[in-house]
Each structure stands twice: as C-alpha cells, then as structure tokens.
Amino acid sequence: MPTPAPELFRFDNTYARALPGCYAPVTPATVPAPQLLQLNQALAGELGLDVARLDPEVGAAVFGGNLVPAGATPIAQAYAGHQFGGFVPQLGDGRAVLLGEVIDRHGRRRDIALKGSGRTPFSRGGDGKAAVGPVLREYVIGEAMHALGIPTTRALAAVRSGETVWRDRPLPGALLTRVAGSHVRVGTFQFFAVRGQHDTVRALADYVIARHDPDLAADPDRYLGLLSRVAARQAALIAQWMLVGFIHGVMNTDNMTISGETIDYGPCAFMEAYDPATVFSSIDAHGRYAYGNQPAIARWNLARFAETLLPLIDPDSSAQAIARATAVIEAFPDHYATSWLDGARAKLGLHGADADDETLAADWLALLAAQQVDFTLAWRRLGDAAAGDAQPLTGLFADAAALTPWLDRWRRRAERDGRSGDERRDAMQRLNPLYIARNHRVEEALDAASTHGDLTAFERLVEVVSQPFDERRGWERYAEPAPREVTARYQTFCGT
Ligand code: AMP
Ligand code: MG
C-alpha cells in the first residue's frame, strides 16, 4: 500500500497555477536510504512545520524526495542565463524541484524546493544529484549570511541519500531543502525573452510584481518600476556582501534573484586578508567574479534583466524604452555607493554624514589592503579601539605606525557625536561580526561530515556562525584567520 502523503505544510502554489509554460512537472527521484542529517528548527517553525510531531523517518523521506508532501506541485522551473558572460538559452532546474509555496509566520510567501532530487527535463548531461559536502556548504553559508542580516535563501533540511554520486571521485549523495522568497531569477526572464515570448515575459513580470512589489501592481509604469526595485535590492545586497567580505564566486544571471536574496552557494567564500582582487573559485580563471568586481557585475546582470523588459517598458518605442531602462542601469553605481557608504559609516561607528566620510572609509580599506590585514578582525577590533583599546587592532598591522594618522582622523570624526567610547564599541560590535564561516573551518566541518559521517564540527560551526556578533569563551578558534599558506592555495569548487 502506498504511504499517504504527509500533511507537513499548507501549500499554496501560485507559480505553478499562474505560469503554465514556465516549468515542467517532475517527480523527485527515489533514493535508497534517506537519512536526515540536519533540520533547521528555527526555519521550520517559521514555516509552520511542527518539528516535535515530525516523525524523523517521514522527514527523511520527504526531504529526501521519496515522499511528496500533501499539497505540493513538484515542478522544475525553466530559466536561461549568462554564464561567465556567455549566453546559454536553456539552463533551468536541472537538479532541483520546487515543491510549492507556503505563507510563513510573518505573512511572507516562501518557496520550498529540493536540490539534488534527480534528473529533470533541464538536466542536460547532469545526473540531477548533489553531494553531502556542497549541500552542507550551502546550509552553513546560508545560515551565516542570514545571521549577518543579509537577504538569503536558507536551508530547511539536509538529507543523506544513501547513494553514491560520481564527480571527480565517488561522493556520498545528499539533498538540500531550500527555502527562498522566490526562485525567480534574471535568467527566468531571459529564457522567455530570447524566445520572443513577450506575453510570457509580461505574465512573469506581473507575477513577480504581485509577489515582491505589490504596491506597483496598478502603476502604469510598473515594468520600469520593477527594474528599479530589482536594481535597488541588488545594490543593497551587493553592498552588504562587500561589507562582510563575501565573494559569491559565480554571479551568473541565473544566480541573481528578483527578490534580492543571495542564491546558490557554490564556490563562494568569505575573504580573509583584504584584497579586492580575491577570487577563490576554481572555474573563475580570469577573476570575472572577484570580490572587487561584484558591484560592476551586478550592474551588468541588471542590464541583461532590463533587456528582457524593453518591450514591456514601452511597447511603441524601443528607443524610448532603451533610454528609460538605461537611466535606471546608469543610476545603479550611485545607489550601490550610497548603500555601501551608509553601511561603512555604521561599521566605522560614525553618526551622521560628513563630506569626508567616503575618503575616510577608502583610506581605511587602503591600509588594510597595503598590509593584507584580516578583513573581519580589522573591523571588529576597530570597535575595541573606539573604547580606548587600540592594541588588538594595531597588532593586526605589520607596520602599525602607518595606521596612526588614520586612527587620529577617525577618532576626531567619530567622537563628534558625543557618544561614549563604550557605546560606540557596542554599536560597532553589533555590526562587525567576530565569527564568519572561515574557509578552513568550513572545509574541516564538511570533510568530517562527508568522509567520516561525523556532523559534530558542522553543527558547531552552524551554531557559531548563527551568533556572529557575540564573543564567546571557547570559540576563539573560530575567530582566527586561516594560516596564510592555506588561504593562498584555497580554491572553491562549484560542487555540482
Ligand atoms: P549552478 O551551478 O547550480 O548555478 O547550476 C547551473 C545550471 O547547471 C543549472 O541549470 C543547474 O540545474 C545545472 N546543474 C548543475 N549541476 C547539475 C547536475 N548535477 N545535474 C543536472 N543539472 C545540473
Ligand atoms: Mg544556479
């Protein structure tokens, strides 16, 4: 007798209903021995999943793809995308299925999707599978970003499948359950635009407006408005990445969301010593997606998004449409710079705005770059300096004397607001994390989980990065930079 579909979520699947032709119905593949590795209790609670009443076997079966929960409409979404600048007209969910959408406790609509759930009509040559290491990487980095206050998709569950997946070597297979504000990407629009399906582009645009920017729905200029909103969200998002030293690694247009959430943690990493040219991804030979290029790439991706909307922005005059869309794209660098500077001011403990703040921030970064100072610790220890203890900061610099004139300038500027040093430090330390998902700690945790099936280090790391701002006794090793040699040869892989 077939197992009845468990009622885990109250699904309401608007994408499947509203956009026929934008996806292929699929059934997740069955896996031999699903075993729940990790369940995100806090996120489960947000989604109305009653963890206490969830039978772990049912959980493993659902998040392993063996049991489709009641109310789900499993689909693979179509999308295209520019990968490293080259256009690929058909990508799509090649190893993912969207189970459906739920309204969370805060009234937000969220997608629930499986990643690594087997082949779909979009799989091309791939096996549709994922491995334990990359699944847990996406899990922990997503949680780290969330705890840093950065919009992101999140992991609800990680399941070991009990099968072997073949990459350059055999690896234990796994699935990730991913929760997103939506999975619509720039590449989703490109898929239909390149096929000349402008009615579908319009339907898709109306769909995302209703979902993400409902206040624009009645606006006659709503498609230009949508472009502006997406640009604004991306400007704010990339500024946040830059301010924590996050390098996405593969900012293809299919990995840029309309919602403004960070998506697809493949070859991503946090920077250690500050260097804008930092790139970790093994597939990014030319540094297209290097840390310092991210704002420019976001703009480039937004231009690709704008192109898909041109026939909607002005159906009668393509010249007019181009002029209006171009104005939005050209405003992006300013929006980004404003977001970045606002964030940098707060991280520097500065109140108000001063004409010299931009130079002050730039000079700080120049000092970090010149002496290859650990990005995370530098900001954090500047907070200690605000409270009168500059030693932890100067100890990070090989030539501390070079920092002194800048510190004097910064103090004079910071102290104008009349706050006490302790107040300033406390405010700064709520913004400057002590614990990030450092590359050597991530590798250590993934290796133990993948090779030895030991999740202790992984669970610890998730705990640490979930409270990035609060200094804890016993967590010292998580604050320490990787040894230089490790960072120098550190490479991340797409991990598909
Ligand atoms: P990603 O690198 O995850 O952004 O994926 C880029 C494209 O490759 C998407 O269309 C994925 O669905 C597809 N893809 C990645 N890995 C696999 C795989 N193992 N099997 C099938 N498709 C895949
Ligand atoms: Mg992707």
Side-chain angles (χ1 to χ4, degrees), residues 91 194 234 313 330 391 421 436 442 489:
L91 292 165
V194 74
Q234 288 294 333
I313 289 172
E330 285 182 349
Q391 207 285 320
I436 53 163
V442 173
R489 58 184 157 71

Side-chain angles (χ1 to χ4, degrees), residues 79 185 254-255 264:
Y79 56 85
R185 309 137 193 268
D254 52 304
N255 290 337
D264 261 13

Side-chain angles (χ1 to χ4, degrees), residues 235-491:
L237 178 69
I238 309 295
Q240 284 188 285
W241 290 2
M242 299 300 281
L243 289 165
V244 298
F246 176 75
I247 306 165
H248 183 282
V250 59
M251 287 176 70
N252 294 331
T253 55
D254 52 304
N255 290 337
M256 182 186 261
T257 59
I258 299 306
S259 70
E261 287 179 339
T262 313
I263 196 169
D264 261 13
Y265 296 99
C268 61
F270 287 89
M271 185 158 58
E272 299 251 331
Y274 181 67
D275 175 0
T278 304
V279 46
F280 290 116
S281 170
S282 63
I283 53 170
D284 194 2
H286 303 292
R288 178 181 170 91
Y289 300 139
Y291 170 82
N293 276 356
Q294 296 184 122
I297 288 293
R299 177 194 162 143
W300 192 89
N301 287 350
L302 287 165
R304 307 289 77 75
F305 180 47
E307 285 162 3
T308 72
L309 297 177
L310 290 175
L312 307 183
I313 289 172
D314 192 331
D316 304 321
S317 159
S318 78
Q320 273 297 323
I322 290 170
R324 302 182 72 205
T326 302
V328 174
I329 302 303
E330 285 182 349
F332 177 81
D334 276 348
H335 285 165
Y336 165 75
T338 305
S339 283
W340 186 87
L341 187 56
D342 286 348
R345 274 198 190 98
K347 281 172 74 80
L348 287 167
L350 308 179
H351 264 185
D354 188 293
D356 291 332
D357 291 346
E358 197 173 338
T359 319
L360 190 71
D363 291 349
W364 163 246
L365 292 183
L367 281 162
L368 302 188
Q371 301 202 35
Q372 304 208 354
V373 179
D374 184 83
F375 188 68
T376 305
L377 288 183
W379 290 100
R380 180 75 183 190
R381 294 190 175 165
L382 188 62
D384 298 320
D389 184 10
Q391 207 285 320
L393 174 67
T394 55
L396 297 172
F397 287 75
D399 171 17
L403 178 65
T404 311
W406 184 88
L407 269 183
D408 290 340
R409 271 166 66 203
W410 168 71
R411 278 202 192 92
R412 281 197 302 277
R413 162 67 179 93
E415 286 167 6
R416 277 200 336 235
D417 65 18
R419 279 190 294 180
S420 75
D422 285 2
E423 281 174 311
R424 181 167 302 101
R425 178 200 52 209
D426 292 349
M428 289 171 73
Q429 295 197 341
R430 283 192 293 273
L431 296 169
N432 295 316
L434 180 56
Y435 310 108
I436 53 163
R438 289 195 182 265
N439 306 324
H440 60 310
R441 297 294 168 229
V442 173
E443 292 309 316
E444 169 185 280
L446 301 193
D447 187 54
S450 184
T451 316
H452 309 294
D454 179 357
L455 286 169
T456 321
F458 174 76
E459 287 176 352
R460 192 76 202 282
L461 186 62
V462 171
E463 187 191 353
V464 171
V465 300
S466 298
Q467 289 153 282
F469 302 109
D470 308 330
E471 185 159 9
R472 298 284 165 105
R473 277 245 210 97
W475 286 7
E476 291 78 10
R477 67 193 298 270
Y478 293 95
E480 286 161 16
R484 282 268 152 102
E485 323 78 83
V486 174
T487 304
R489 58 184 157 71
Y490 189 67
Q491 279 217 315

